[in-house]
Amino acid sequence: MAIERVRSFFKEQGIADRIQEFEVSSATVQLAAQALNCEPCRIAKTLSFMVEEKPILIVAAGDVKIDNSKYKAQFNTKAKMLSPEEAEMLVGHVVGGVCPFGINEGVTVYLDESLKRFATVFPACGSSNSAIELSIAELEKYSHFIQWIDVTKLA
């Protein structure tokens, strides 16, 4: 199970005890915000796309959506999200639990500028009923991202 991969990853970092698991689903921004009792904007949603036949992840704030023109300017291609099957196979997590931790080899992670306005955010941990609160510096450290990008707009 993907959450076990994430738990193992965070155990190596010494923070596995910070993973929160819920009795209810946290598969969407709204559900995660309810489970965590926080504003939806602080949910760090991880979106999966295909760029040049390689999977990428973009971690963004819960209150934004992909801006197609910014995305095309950044990646020189149209935004094409992975299907749920592709996400599970290529990234290693099911939709609803996709996160930038404990992922398959060859997946590139980007962090969207929309996250920088928060001290802490809540990304998922590989399942549709989990999250972890991380500072932006911790998100940078643990996500192994390659760069900050600006490809979103307020939803």
Side-chain angles (χ1 to χ4, degrees):
M1 205 169 163
I3 189 168
E4 295 309 324
R5 285 174 70 183
V6 175
R7 192 182 321 280
S8 175
F9 170 76
F10 280 138
K11 194 173 186 177
E12 292 170 15
Q13 312 303 318
I15 63 167
D17 59 331
R18 290 173 48 191
I19 295 173
Q20 299 178 56
E21 290 186 80
F22 315 108
E23 297 292 321
V24 295
S25 175
S26 59
T28 66
V29 167
Q30 214 53 48
L31 290 172
Q34 288 170 3
L36 287 155
N37 196 26
C38 76
E39 308 87 12
C41 55
R42 289 188 53 219
I43 302 303
K45 62 184 176 183
T46 304
L47 306 168
S48 53
F49 297 91
M50 191 66 81
V51 173
E52 295 176 3
E53 308 208 8
K54 292 185 181 134
I56 70 162
L57 297 177
I58 299 173
V59 186
D63 62 346
V64 300
K65 63 182 182 179
I66 294 296
D67 179 313
N68 288 321
S69 59
K70 287 181 178 181
Y71 184 98
K72 188 162 186 166
Q74 176 70 46
F75 296 109
N76 299 314
T77 189
K78 203 171 156 185
K80 181 189 178 299
M81 288 194 78
L82 298 181
S83 70
E85 297 77 25
E86 290 171 324
E88 187 174 6
M89 182 179 69
L90 298 172
V91 177
H93 298 311
V94 295
V95 171
V98 176
C99 63
F101 322 111
I103 56 177
N104 292 342
E105 290 280 318
V107 180
T108 304
V109 177
Y110 297 90
L111 300 180
D112 186 74
E113 295 280 338
S114 61
L115 296 166
K116 285 187 172 179
R117 61 195 148 128
F118 305 108
T120 63
V121 293
F122 296 93
C125 289
S127 71
S128 60
N129 67 330
S130 64
I132 188 168
E133 184 174 13
L134 297 174
S135 68
I136 298 304
E138 288 173 322
L139 180 62
E140 288 177 335
K141 176 181 176 181
Y142 300 129
S143 68
H144 303 299
F145 80 111
I146 64 159
Q147 76 181 80
W148 282 95
I149 58 175
D150 178 12
V151 294
T152 61
K153 61 185 174 186
L154 284 175

